[in-house]
Amino acid sequence: MAASMLASCRPAQRSFLRIIRSKGQSHSIQAVSSRSLNRPSSVLPRSLACLSSTQHGSPVNCLPAQPFRKFHLSKFLASDVQVVQTPGFPESVSEGDVRWEKAVGDEVSEDEVVGEIETDKTAIQIMAPSAGVIEELLVADGEKVIAGQDLFKLNVGAGGAAPAKPAAAPKAAEPVAAAPPPPLPAVSSAGSIPTSPPPVPQVPTGPMESTPASEVPVKKYAAPSGTVPSEAPADERKETRVKMNRMRQRIAQRLKGAQETYAMLTTFNEVDMSNIMELRSTYKDAFVKKHGVKFGFMSAFIRAAAAGLVDMPSVNAVIDQTEIVYRDYVDISVAVATPKGLVVPVLRGVEKMDYADIEHNLAALGEKARSGLLAIEDMDGGTFTISNGGVFGSLMGTPIINPPQSAILGMHGIFDRPVAVKGQVQIRPMMYIALTYDHRLIDGREAVTFLRKVKSGVEDPRTLLLNL
């Protein structure tokens, strides 16, 4: 009876067996959790204390002497199989596509990334809840999943099998000793040695016949069947089709929707970067020493744009059906390029920030964006967007509005150009800036005034200090 119950126990239960003796002298076998055996023996029943004491090196004879004098208890060593489900989705996300980074049989540690779920806005990482080995992937790579769906099975606590030793290569047959070379013929000692050279043949004096190489017939041999040419034809061209990920599909949908919805118009201006570059060069070391971050040009434009948005509330507003929504706060979205697409994390309450606060927040959001750790909450909202194409060397461009906002500021590269300064031509570092706005809400006067406010705030930051 005991042997049959031992054989029927599942390995995944990690359980011990104990024998319970009732008053009627009958015996039964019951599974005991291994966690119970980790408690001190003093707080365990006598039937369990023997097992716990045995684990700690002091066995106790607690089994009945009769009739189980030679009965042996054993522990089943196996691993639990845990089914891992999709992590929680934000309210605005209902589904995504799975991209696996691990395969069946791979060992993972606790909190290690097994894969990610690409959604319309961001990528949600799939973490291993504990250490173990991936037993089965329940969803194929690239398939759609929803919240609460089973993703993979994890063999918890299981260690990877030791890599199999490569089979020993068969010993090569010992080389057969090479046969000795045949003996050279012996030179006869008989005969006399010639004392004069052989006669020289006569050279023909008449013209020699020749045949051009192009007229010489060449015999062609057919290549044996089944052979593959060593090199592909030089004119061969290929096409590769790759499925668009969800983020790229969402970007395409939103940008096309913006063109169809908004009456977009772009106005341009140029900024002389001499003063802000000199300011940065003068105080960059002191700025880093005090605030722990570098002083860049982006913070100057964000600070100037925030001041312009406060002065021009319509640029910071939005159309909601037949109403205009004005905001008394400034949340600026900063476009960041990542390998998976363009993301726009949001700096909130910029109207209350100084240069150091802006740089700290930019550094934190930039690091999260590059690491793929941006949450949906980091990109929700935003009343205005700034896009910096200058980091890629752009000279000029017309940015597209980020819905549901009403305007976007485009920064471009800094290039030395001749400009007129007080009646003289000088070489200055110049940057073109562009403002694309929704002409249904924002008039040309407001757009141009806002752009000039940004220009003056960057060229002469003292105007921001004096609130001019």
Side-chain angles (χ1 to χ4, degrees):
M1 177 66 178
S4 62
M5 294 192 68
L6 284 170
S8 63
C9 290
R10 293 186 303 172
Q13 291 178 340
R14 290 176 174 234
S15 53
F16 291 90
L17 299 178
R18 69 173 179 178
I19 299 175
I20 302 176
R21 183 175 183 179
S22 62
K23 294 181 180 180
Q25 300 300 323
S26 61
H27 298 79
S28 62
I29 298 178
Q30 181 177 356
V32 180
S33 172
S34 60
R35 294 185 179 178
S36 301
L37 298 179
N38 293 328
R39 295 185 294 174
S41 301
S42 60
V43 299
L44 294 174
R46 180 171 177 78
S47 58
L48 296 183
C50 64
L51 298 178
S52 178
S53 300
T54 303
Q55 286 185 330
H56 295 84
S58 56
V60 178
N61 185 15
C62 61
L63 296 176
Q66 295 178 358
F68 298 99
R69 182 177 302 172
K70 294 184 179 180
F71 190 82
H72 178 68
L73 297 180
S74 62
K75 178 180 178 181
F76 286 83
L77 295 175
S79 302
D80 295 332
V81 176
Q82 181 178 356
V83 178
V84 181
Q85 297 181 339
T86 56
F89 286 170
E91 295 182 359
S92 59
V93 176
S94 60
E95 61 184 20
D97 295 337
V98 172
R99 301 294 179 189
W100 294 114
E101 298 182 8
K102 300 291 183 179
V104 175
D106 289 350
E107 290 187 41
V108 294
S109 57
E110 187 175 357
D111 294 333
E112 185 176 355
V113 178
V114 179
E116 63 181 13
I117 301 176
E118 295 180 349
T119 67
D120 296 344
K121 298 182 178 180
T122 186
I124 302 174
Q125 292 183 336
I126 305 171
M127 315 291 288
S130 56
V133 176
I134 297 177
E135 187 173 278
E136 182 182 359
L137 298 178
L138 304 177
V139 180
D141 187 77
E143 286 191 1
K144 181 177 68 176
V145 295
I146 59 176
Q149 183 174 343
D150 295 342
L151 294 179
F152 67 96
K153 292 182 180 180
L154 180 66
N155 206 338
V156 179
K165 295 182 179 180
K171 295 183 178 179
E174 296 182 359
V176 181
L184 297 175
V187 179
S188 175
S189 58
S192 60
I193 300 175
T195 58
S196 61
V200 179
Q202 296 181 356
V203 179
T205 58
M208 299 181 62
E209 297 182 357
S210 61
T211 304
S214 59
E215 299 181 4
V216 177
V218 179
K219 186 176 181 181
K220 297 183 179 180
Y221 294 90
S225 60
T227 59
V228 180
S230 57
E231 295 183 359
D235 57 347
E236 183 179 359
R237 299 187 297 175
K238 297 182 180 180
E239 290 183 353
T240 303
R241 291 181 179 268
V242 180
K243 182 181 178 181
M244 293 175 63
N245 58 44
R246 282 184 168 266
M247 185 179 296
R248 176 55 59 185
Q249 293 180 25
R250 182 60 175 169
I251 291 172
Q253 179 183 359
R254 287 172 60 87
L255 293 181
K256 187 59 180 177
Q259 288 183 326
E260 295 174 353
T261 302
Y262 296 134
M264 288 191 293
L265 186 63
T266 304
T267 183
F268 298 91
N269 212 320
E270 60 180 359
V271 179
D272 187 348
M273 301 292 292
S274 301
N275 291 336
I276 192 67
M277 292 178 69
E278 181 182 357
L279 179 68
R280 179 175 179 267
S281 177
T282 303
Y283 296 103
K284 63 179 181 180
D285 295 334
F287 192 90
V288 172
K289 184 177 180 180
K290 181 175 182 178
H291 301 291
V293 290
K294 294 182 179 180
F295 178 38
F297 298 135
M298 178 62 79
S299 58
F301 280 91
I302 293 177
R303 182 69 187 89
L309 293 172
V310 172
D311 289 348
M312 294 293 166
S314 61
V315 183
N316 198 44
V318 65
I319 295 177
D320 186 8
Q321 296 182 356
T322 59
E323 297 177 340
I324 300 176
V325 180
Y326 292 95
R327 292 106 163 206
D328 60 355
Y329 57 89
V330 176
D331 293 346
I332 295 183
S333 304
V334 181
V336 179
T338 67
K340 297 180 180 179
L342 189 69
V343 295
V344 280
V346 181
L347 293 176
R348 306 187 189 279
V350 184
E351 76 280 3
K352 302 176 182 178
M353 294 184 183
D354 56 15
Y355 292 108
D357 295 332
I358 295 174
E359 290 292 351
H360 277 291
N361 284 273
L362 280 178
L365 290 175
E367 181 62 28
K368 293 178 69 175
R370 286 186 291 271
S371 303
L373 300 178
L374 281 177
I376 300 296
E377 295 77 12
D378 295 327
M379 296 179 286
D380 277 346
T383 62
F384 185 78
T385 298
I386 297 180
S387 175
N388 185 10
V391 295
F392 306 110
S394 172
L395 176 64
M396 184 183 296
T398 57
I400 300 177
I401 297 175
N402 179 25
Q405 300 171 9
S406 298
I408 179 173
L409 175 67
M411 299 168 53
H412 300 93
I414 302 174
F415 301 98
D416 290 340
R417 294 204 308 271
V419 294
V421 180
K422 296 181 179 180
Q424 296 182 353
V425 177
Q426 299 183 8
I427 304 298
R428 295 290 184 96
M430 305 296 294
M431 175 194 291
Y432 287 117
I433 56 176
L435 178 70
T436 300
Y437 57 97
D438 186 1
H439 211 347
R440 300 177 304 166
L441 173 63
I442 305 171
D443 295 331
R445 178 186 64 86
E446 297 166 332
V448 173
T449 304
F450 169 81
L451 204 57
R452 288 182 59 86
K453 180 75 174 181
V454 174
K455 171 184 170 69
S456 63
V458 175
E459 289 184 342
D460 189 1
R462 294 174 296 181
T463 59
L464 300 178
L465 299 177
L466 300 176
N467 195 21
L468 299 177

